[in-house]
Amino acid sequence: MKIKRIDTNSRMSQASQSGSLLVLSGQVSEGSSVTEQTTNLFNNIDVLLHKAGTNKSNIIYANIFLTDMDHYEAFNAVWDGWIDSANQQSPSRSAIQVVRLAKPEWLVEVQIFVAV
């Protein structure tokens, strides 16, 4: 089976597709707060989904990594505005507190699995 890769560099691909499953690498973003970082990374996800020919309504599952669970409600406030739950498009997900992400200034990382 052929694998399609999107936004690839020498180390990784931002997204990889096999058949009807698209997996996005953990998405992070700059910003001074978890709200700003979450908003920016969702914009990045929207761009990658567009490049793959799909959209957020087809997200199956999301892994959410927070460096502090005290940011959970701020993250959810942005998530709730991004996901179309009124049309039953809320994917399955998990939220996990981690000790640290790859850069200490990153507060949140989101990895998603999408049907295409």
Side-chain angles (χ1 to χ4, degrees):
M1 178 174 290
K2 184 175 180 183
I3 298 174
K4 175 183 174 185
R5 303 193 192 280
I6 299 169
D7 289 357
T8 301
N9 63 37
S10 62
R11 178 169 291 152
M12 62 178 279
S13 298
Q14 289 298 316
S16 298
Q17 180 183 342
S18 178
S20 62
L21 180 65
L22 176 73
V23 179
L24 270 63
S25 297
Q27 297 299 301
V28 294
S29 184
E30 303 300 323
S32 60
S33 67
V34 72
T35 299
E36 189 176 341
Q37 289 184 22
T38 303
T39 300
N40 293 338
L41 74 83
F42 285 158
N43 290 336
N44 295 343
I45 288 173
D46 286 334
V47 169
L48 287 169
L49 294 176
H50 179 75
K51 287 180 180 181
T54 190
N55 61 61
K56 63 188 169 193
S57 70
N58 294 315
I59 296 173
I60 298 167
Y61 188 83
N63 279 318
I64 301 153
F65 303 99
L66 296 164
T67 58
D68 188 336
M69 275 303 195
D70 287 343
H71 299 304
Y72 186 67
E73 292 306 319
F75 173 87
N76 280 333
V78 180
W79 172 274
D80 292 345
W82 183 65
I83 291 296
D84 188 3
S85 59
N87 290 312
Q88 299 181 351
Q89 294 177 356
S90 298
S92 301
R93 66 178 224 178
S94 61
I96 303 159
Q97 181 172 320
V98 295
V99 173
R100 176 184 158 180
L101 296 171
K103 289 186 178 180
E105 63 269 23
W106 290 340
L107 304 173
V108 60
E109 182 171 339
V110 177
Q111 175 195 35
I112 62 171
F113 299 79
V114 188
V116 291

